[in-house]
Amino acid sequence: MPGLDSTALMGAVPRPPVLDEPSDGTPPAEPPRPRRGEKVVKLRAHQTDTGYKSVYSELTRPSVWSRVRTGIRLTGEVLITFGLVVLLFAGYEIWGKSVIVNAHQEDLSSQLAQAWGPSGDPTVAPTGGPKPKPAPAVEGKPIAGLYIPKLDKNWVVVEGVEQSDIRYAPGHYPKSAMPGEVGNFSVAGHRNRATFWRIDELDPGDDVVVEGKDIWYVYKVYKTRIVRPDQVEVVAPVPMEPGVRPKEKLLTLTTCNPKFDNYQRLIVHAKLDHVLAKSAGRPPELGS
């Protein structure tokens, strides 16, 4: 058929118009010019052994200083995270443990009152007749009360000085004397805010009061010392003189030194000054 394009019979598709060429004959718009301070770098193909894998430019290529800045930033983030962890741990050591210890102390106080029975009530006078021999102390079980009026602190003392025993309470050295006995009633405690944190503030003449089942024992501090951890003679019946027969009724408190460390031991020695029956009320040293 005349007038027909021969390609139309072959199913050919007309070539689409070029989009970037304006149809009205106007010249194409120029690419935007870079603003002052900007640098335009053409992308280049990056050739590897297996062919062209990607493109990069001089603007995105890492430099020595960019790597240094990245390292400094990552180091700073790690240090900040580590600092937060340390702060959280310190907060737990200082305040968190106190809450836990105080809760366990309340439970131990209830156990001690139950073990002592009605005769442990200071309003009940002891009956006449021979007193039954006390049962041997069981490790981890409460045996006495301990009061330091100067520090406004008090605890229930348990039997034993293993870590499991003194985790929440001061512990009595099993082979040492009991409260009020001739010898050395020795007690160990952790150096945390809930326990023996401030016993370094005790001076000669300060009171340490021990509560027994029927008796209050009032001791007076006479000496403090710092020793090595292996100097266990401080809890001997006669402190620092192992093997010597005791003649006095003493009390010894031991804890770690300095605070937050344990390469030394802080020792406080006290001597029994007087006793008071619980039926007569609380000792004046404890206040009203």
Side-chain angles (χ1 to χ4, degrees):
M1 297 175 61
L4 284 176
D5 187 351
S6 61
T7 60
L9 300 176
M10 301 169 58
V13 179
R15 186 179 66 178
V18 179
L19 297 179
D20 57 356
E21 295 180 0
S23 58
D24 56 0
T26 59
E30 295 182 0
R33 295 180 179 181
R35 290 177 293 183
R36 180 176 298 179
E38 292 182 343
K39 181 181 179 181
V40 177
V41 179
K42 294 182 180 180
L43 298 177
R44 297 181 298 175
H46 179 59
Q47 186 176 11
T48 66
D49 295 338
T50 57
Y52 291 92
K53 294 296 183 181
S54 62
V55 295
Y56 66 97
S57 73
E58 293 181 356
L59 291 178
T60 59
R61 181 185 300 169
S63 65
V64 174
W65 286 111
S66 68
R67 290 190 176 97
V68 171
R69 287 194 298 270
T70 300
I72 293 175
R73 184 175 65 252
L74 292 176
T75 302
E77 292 174 353
V78 170
L79 291 176
I80 291 173
T81 303
F82 179 75
L84 290 174
V85 172
V86 171
L87 286 175
L88 289 173
F89 178 76
Y92 167 74
E93 286 290 317
I94 295 174
W95 293 288
K97 276 189 174 180
S98 296
V99 174
I100 297 173
V101 170
N102 291 338
H104 281 270
Q105 279 286 308
E106 291 181 4
D107 182 56
L108 290 170
S109 181
S110 299
Q111 293 181 35
L112 186 61
Q114 185 177 3
W116 282 345
S119 62
D121 189 338
T123 62
V124 179
T127 58
K131 293 183 179 181
K133 186 176 181 180
V138 178
E139 288 198 9
K141 297 299 182 180
I143 63 169
L146 179 65
Y147 300 76
I148 302 182
K150 181 178 181 178
L151 307 181
D152 193 25
K153 300 289 289 185
N154 65 277
W155 308 270
V156 174
V157 178
V158 300
E159 180 70 10
V161 292
E162 298 294 332
Q163 288 299 318
S164 58
D165 300 325
I166 63 174
R167 187 176 182 183
Y168 305 118
H172 168 244
Y173 284 84
K175 294 183 180 180
S176 69
M178 295 299 287
E181 292 182 351
V182 174
N184 189 6
F185 174 58
S186 302
V187 178
H190 282 303
R191 194 75 181 274
N192 55 44
R193 287 190 178 272
T195 319
F196 286 172
W197 181 261
R198 296 173 53 204
I199 67 168
D200 58 312
E201 300 175 23
L202 293 176
D203 298 311
D206 289 335
D207 299 310
V208 179
V209 181
V210 177
E211 180 184 7
K213 183 177 180 180
D214 303 307
I215 302 292
W216 294 100
Y217 304 93
V218 181
Y219 294 82
K220 295 283 186 181
V221 174
Y222 70 90
K223 187 178 182 63
T224 62
R225 67 173 93 229
I226 295 176
V227 300
R228 300 188 311 271
D230 60 349
Q231 290 184 268
V232 295
E233 58 268 25
V234 293
V235 296
V238 178
M240 308 304 290
E241 299 182 30
V244 176
R245 185 180 181 88
K247 297 180 180 179
E248 297 180 307
K249 301 175 180 179
L250 306 178
L251 174 147
T252 295
L253 305 178
T254 73
T255 192
C256 295
N257 191 73
K259 294 174 179 176
F260 299 113
D261 215 324
N262 62 354
Y263 62 85
Q264 294 174 333
R265 294 294 181 268
L266 173 62
I267 312 299
V268 176
H269 296 298
K271 186 182 301 183
L272 184 65
D273 185 72
H274 63 276
V275 300
L276 180 70
K278 293 179 72 173
S279 58
R282 289 167 62 88
E285 290 78 8
L286 298 182
S288 56

